Amino acid sequence: MSQTLFVTTEWLAEHQHDPQIQVLDARMLPPGQELTRNITQEYLAEHLPSAPFFDIEALSDPTSPYPHMMPRPEAFAVAMRELGISSDKHLVVYDEGSLFSAPRAWWMLRYFGVAEVSILAGGLQAWKADGYATEQGHPELKEGLFEAYPQPEQIKRLNDVLLVSHEGGAQILDARSAPRFNAEVDEPRPGLRRGHIPGSLNVPWNTLVSNGRLSDNAHLQSVFEAAGVDLKKPVIASCGSGVTAVVLLAALTELGHKDASLYDGSWGEWGSRDDLPGVR
């Protein structure tokens, strides 16, 4: 089966009973909605058949003070096995339909060595709109067979980004909205400064998305170029907490870019520290 970044609802409906296909629900709440919504209850009320809940919040490093930091490989592998997920299958991830969080799940699985991972175009919303069935509750799945093989070159740490910010060598792209990047509004997470990493370029993640999937390649290229991005040079993607930055990584992957990595701490780390430079 050939690797493809997106699969359609029609394709998944045709292949959902294939034993080599496994579907994962990776929806999550944008910051600020935690007090008004319960994403676990929403998952239990309605999800794709046999899809376990890939809870990005719960799968993050619990020892880090910063949001959504990558967990240890051993902990991630154990969590996947307990969910019934096997690393040798073609995994298809989806979110509510905005493409807000499914790319983060796609990237995490790829980071830990899964060879075949795709995103359901349009997510849950498209699945329902096309008349396909959903289920309630937790699916009953056998323990999965999951081995984690991290790809450390895909992650950049604070010191890596600080060096690039000072000396160049790569382009730092920020996927947050323009008002946040330009320090015109407060961050949705308390305790963070306004502003952005010096030298970074702003590519708001939602400018790359149309109908729950990436826009066509011509549009993607035009958005990057309008932001001043050289698609021939290395990229480090950042955002608020390492989630929507992966939309940029997915878009770069779609365009054939081979040297793009994630600053996992993102502004959640950088903006929380008074000893780091920031532009506002």
Side-chain angles (χ1 to χ4, degrees):
M1 190 174 299
S2 62
Q3 174 81 4
T4 179
L5 181 53
F6 284 91
V7 297
T8 65
T9 57
E10 293 81 5
W11 183 93
L12 184 57
E14 182 180 346
H15 292 87
Q16 63 179 320
H17 300 298
D18 184 329
Q20 278 302 112
I21 303 294
Q22 190 159 23
V23 184
L24 288 67
D25 187 308
R27 70 184 103 172
M28 71 179 296
L29 294 175
Q33 295 190 16
E34 298 87 349
L35 297 179
T36 58
R37 295 174 59 189
N38 185 319
I39 198 66
T40 302
Q41 291 302 318
E42 291 180 21
Y43 161 78
L44 291 172
E46 188 175 43
H47 57 77
L48 267 66
S50 301
F53 185 29
F54 187 97
D55 187 343
I56 293 170
E57 297 279 0
L59 290 168
S60 302
D61 181 0
T63 67
S64 175
Y66 309 117
H68 311 135
M69 297 295 282
M70 290 292 283
R72 292 181 298 106
E74 300 82 2
F76 186 81
V78 168
M80 294 300 98
R81 292 177 200 137
E82 291 176 347
L83 285 175
I85 298 169
S86 295
S87 52
D88 64 344
K89 294 187 176 182
H90 181 176
L91 305 182
V92 178
V93 298
Y94 71 90
D95 56 27
E96 289 182 289
S98 62
L99 207 63
F100 171 71
S101 58
R104 172 70 185 200
W106 163 83
W107 181 86
M108 290 177 72
L109 292 162
R110 281 168 46 104
Y111 172 82
F112 284 118
V114 179
E116 287 193 293
V117 191
S118 300
I119 300 169
L120 177 62
L124 177 63
Q125 182 178 352
W127 182 263
K128 291 165 55 180
D130 289 340
Y132 298 118
T134 59
E135 290 181 351
Q136 297 180 340
H138 288 291
E140 295 183 6
L141 301 174
K142 295 187 297 184
E143 183 172 306
L145 300 172
F146 198 101
E147 298 294 334
Y149 300 102
Q151 317 293 311
E153 71 281 357
Q154 294 184 17
I155 284 183
K156 293 294 185 287
R157 306 297 182 186
L158 187 148
N159 286 340
D160 302 319
V161 179
L162 186 61
L163 182 64
V164 168
S165 176
H166 281 166
E167 301 183 6
Q171 302 162 104
I172 304 169
L173 309 188
D174 191 323
R176 293 176 301 158
S177 67
R180 290 170 65 188
F181 180 85
N182 293 321
E184 297 166 354
V185 296
D186 288 336
E187 285 294 303
R189 290 184 177 84
L192 298 182
R193 293 179 291 152
R194 295 185 182 189
H196 60 264
I197 300 168
S200 57
L201 303 171
N202 189 208
V203 184
W205 71 274
N206 55 3
T207 62
L208 302 170
V209 174
S210 177
N211 297 319
R213 65 174 300 159
L214 293 174
S215 300
D216 63 77
N217 284 10
H219 179 79
L220 298 180
Q221 186 165 337
S222 69
V223 170
F224 282 120
E225 291 178 349
V229 180
D230 186 339
L231 293 171
K232 297 188 175 89
K233 294 183 178 179
V235 164
I236 300 172
S238 175
C239 60
S241 66
V243 175
T244 56
V246 184
V247 178
L248 274 58
L249 296 181
L252 291 166
T253 299
E254 191 81 331
L255 292 174
H257 195 285
K258 301 295 185 184
D259 194 355
S261 54
L262 175 71
Y263 172 29
D264 204 26
S266 286
W267 193 251
E269 178 179 30
W270 193 286
S272 71
R273 294 182 47 164
D274 293 329
D275 60 336
L276 295 172
V279 178
R280 58 172 298 157

